[in-house]
Amino acid sequence: MEKIQKIKGFADILPPLSQVYDHMERTAKGIFALYGYREVRLPILERTELFCRSIGEETDVVQKEMYTFPDRKGRSLTMRPEATAGVMRAYIENNLQAQEELTKLYTAGPMFRYERPQKGRMRQFHQINVEAVGSPSPLLDAEILFMLAHFLQELGIPDLNIEVNSLGCPDCRPSYHEALHEYFRGFDTGTLCDDCLRRKLTNPLRVLDCKVPACKELTKTAPLIADYQCPACREHFQAVLAALDARKMPYVLAPRLVRGLDYYVRTTFEVTSGKIGAQSSVAGGGRYDGLISSLGGPDLPGVGFACGMERLALLLGEPEPVRPDFHLVALGAEALPAGLLLAQELRAAGLGGECALTARSAKSQMRLADRLKPRYCLILGESELASGTVVVKNLGLGTQETVVRSGLATFLRNSDNQ
RNA sequence: GUGGCUGUAGCUCAGCUGGCAGAGCACUCGGCUGUGACCCGGGUUGUCGUGGGUUCAAACCCCAUCAGCCACCCCA
């Protein structure tokens, strides 16, 4: 029979890597709880229109990266390419604004984008996502950045760069776009790279982010967003930075930082690492004040970020294997079922480990025990069955002693052999 | 969507100008009636990614296709 293989860009997350994912989610849960965030679990499939309206019709994500298909009744569905849209849909649909003034939510799970896979980029990837809805305060922007930094620090990831920018708002951004347009108009073939010639028309902000030296040189004298922001946006951004400074949080101002999702306004940020290849962005987010009303909800502001779990996993490395408390070696036909009963007693007492299930030589069972690195190897044979004892062997030290069965759980629990 | 590199044992990889499919690790059995690691000896493991083509003969050359990796692009 022909084997069926997984879809391109999709991955099986097996042990021990699955432990890393579990660790990330547990750490997130613990840290986020300190800030008042609660978990939501939302559908992976949504109506296509949700993403067109939130992410933006003209973005790359919507234009060429979505898994979109009709259901059995011909309605267009899309596998979520990001989490914020779905969280906002759920917020509106469940009238969460009626429950509390500020709603703090987080979620973790798979996202789907049809892109060419490479290091740190899969078609099914996983994000931890945080959203805070209901407050326009710049202090909330700062708090969410504190929380993101706190989370990454708790995971123990060094050498991350936190970049911060303000994109302005619908009131002031058009004038900046206009200015950029004006600035780039003069540059033609030979001055800007081919990509930027396209970008200066579609998304002039992206030209500022180009890595080609010639383009970089030109952008040095390009107009700055800061000079075009309205007083309200300027004040907001200054308040965010003041809060970050007061806590002495390390960050860099990135006036060229652009986001590929249309809903972002004012504060935006990105966390990058130089150690994981070209896809260096580990987390990214910002404020999205007009998003909820554009989806038919109340006119409430929001802030959030997404954290890429595959990229975090690249930085975390292999986890320590968990050491079982015991491994039980059973010698002889009668010792096998007796060994299972004994193992079950120990598990009931909160001790973890495995026992032999099939009759094999002492040598092969001991070899297996050695691989599993249990705190103790327990040996149960005919003579131990007869005397109601168990041989307890410390594989690290090579020492062993005979312990009465009734006292075994206590003996194992009190031992300091880790 | 574009470009480059790569697919050979469970894993890591050799395999020359086309001529019997290899090594190390792992696994397994034994040396040691019921004691692991270290040591010694034996043993198992393959549609050479897949499908075509060239050839007396293809893991090797050609075409196609699938998958992986890296980069562009884009983003977490």
Side-chain angles (χ1 to χ4, degrees):
Chain A
M1 279 294 258
E2 198 180 336
K3 281 189 237 172
I4 296 174
Q5 51 187 5
K6 63 182 174 293
I7 300 170
K8 184 190 188 92
F10 286 60
D12 301 318
I13 300 173
L14 305 173
L17 181 58
S18 53
Q19 292 171 43
V20 178
Y21 280 72
D22 184 55
H23 179 237
M24 286 187 276
E25 288 183 10
R26 283 171 192 267
T27 304
K29 190 187 192 75
I31 298 298
F32 297 169
L34 299 175
Y35 296 78
Y37 286 80
R38 292 180 297 167
E39 186 179 16
V40 285
R41 302 189 185 206
L42 301 177
I44 285 168
L45 272 184
E46 297 277 2
R47 317 235 8 175
T48 302
E49 191 192 355
L50 173 66
F51 301 113
C52 298
R53 270 164 66 184
S54 58
I55 297 170
E57 198 75 57
E58 299 306 316
T59 59
D60 279 12
V61 171
V62 170
Q63 286 285 312
K64 35 187 209 196
E65 295 174 5
M66 295 206 302
Y67 277 90
T68 296
F69 50 85
D71 73 2
R72 287 172 179 275
K73 290 195 174 171
R75 293 168 290 216
S76 182
L77 304 183
T78 293
M79 295 175 77
R80 62 183 186 192
E82 60 106 47
T84 302
V87 176
M88 293 312 119
R89 193 226 81 231
Y91 178 92
I92 296 164
E93 193 165 345
N94 294 285
N95 283 312
L96 296 187
Q97 78 280 1
Q99 319 231 336
E100 51 200 346
E101 188 182 25
L102 176 59
T103 305
K104 290 174 160 180
L105 303 171
Y106 79 91
T107 188
M111 307 294 157
F112 303 84
R113 290 183 201 173
Y114 193 96
E115 297 180 90
R116 190 79 168 258
Q118 73 184 80
K119 187 173 188 176
R121 187 170 79 182
M122 301 296 270
R123 288 182 175 181
Q124 176 178 333
F125 59 104
H126 298 78
Q127 286 186 341
I128 295 172
N129 216 267
V130 166
E131 316 290 348
V133 177
S135 170
S137 170
L139 296 183
L140 177 61
D141 305 23
E143 184 186 72
I144 221 166
L145 272 162
F146 288 153
M147 188 172 86
L148 175 55
H150 191 166
F151 167 58
L152 296 169
Q153 189 194 346
E154 185 71 17
L155 284 175
I157 300 172
D159 302 328
L160 293 172
N161 319 300
I162 301 178
E163 300 177 13
V164 184
N165 191 22
S166 174
L167 295 181
C169 64
D171 288 337
C172 55
R173 195 154 40 181
S175 63
Y176 178 59
H177 267 248
E178 193 55 41
L180 268 186
H181 242 105
E182 195 59 38
Y183 177 78
F184 287 125
R185 182 169 303 170
F187 304 120
D188 221 326
T189 317
T191 53
L192 286 168
C193 71
D194 289 347
D195 283 324
C196 285
L197 288 174
R198 172 178 52 81
R199 281 191 280 234
K200 74 172 187 177
L201 302 172
T202 57
N203 191 348
L205 283 174
R206 286 237 156 265
V207 181
L208 302 180
D209 206 24
C210 186
K211 287 141 205 141
V212 177
C215 301
K216 252 182 170 167
E217 194 60 34
L218 288 176
T219 60
K220 279 184 181 170
T221 50
L224 291 172
I225 177 94
D227 298 328
Y228 289 81
Q229 273 174 23
C230 60
C233 282
R234 196 166 308 174
E235 194 182 315
H236 183 95
F237 194 45
Q238 289 313 311
V240 174
L241 298 184
L244 299 182
D245 291 338
R247 181 65 197 174
K248 295 190 169 56
M249 185 168 130
Y251 67 89
V252 292
L253 283 178
R256 303 170 314 160
L257 174 65
V258 179
R259 310 262 71 208
L261 280 52
D262 282 355
Y263 52 65
Y264 286 117
V265 297
R266 291 195 169 168
T267 317
T268 56
F269 50 87
E270 194 166 303
V271 179
T272 60
S273 166
K275 299 178 177 175
I276 53 174
Q279 305 303 315
S280 60
S281 174
V282 167
R287 193 162 262 287
Y288 44 81
D289 289 350
L291 177 60
I292 295 161
S293 64
S294 80
L295 290 173
D299 187 15
L300 289 172
V303 207
F305 68 78
C307 211
M309 295 179 77
E310 279 71 14
R311 294 175 189 179
L312 284 181
L314 287 174
L315 291 160
L316 284 172
E318 290 274 296
E320 284 291 311
V322 279
R323 271 191 94 177
D325 296 311
F326 66 87
H327 182 80
L328 194 150
V329 168
L331 302 169
E334 288 178 34
L336 281 168
L340 175 63
L341 281 181
L342 177 56
Q344 213 42 34
E345 280 172 33
L346 295 174
R347 291 162 181 159
L351 294 158
E354 293 185 76
C355 60
L357 298 173
T358 52
R360 294 173 73 187
S361 72
K363 182 172 183 151
S364 75
Q365 291 195 47
M366 290 299 294
R367 239 202 298 265
L368 177 60
D370 187 61
R371 268 207 307 276
L372 296 171
K373 296 273 176 283
R375 288 170 57 223
Y376 284 106
C377 176
L378 309 180
I379 301 166
L380 187 66
E382 282 165 33
S383 56
E384 288 77 19
L385 279 178
S387 61
T389 59
V390 177
V391 171
V392 177
K393 178 164 185 169
N394 182 320
L395 292 174
L397 302 174
T399 58
Q400 67 181 55
E401 59 192 294
T402 304
V403 177
V404 180
R405 235 177 113 155
S406 56
L408 184 59
T410 311
F411 178 90
L412 295 182
R413 198 177 303 110
N414 291 344
S415 110
D416 55 0
N417 175 29
Q418 294 303 317

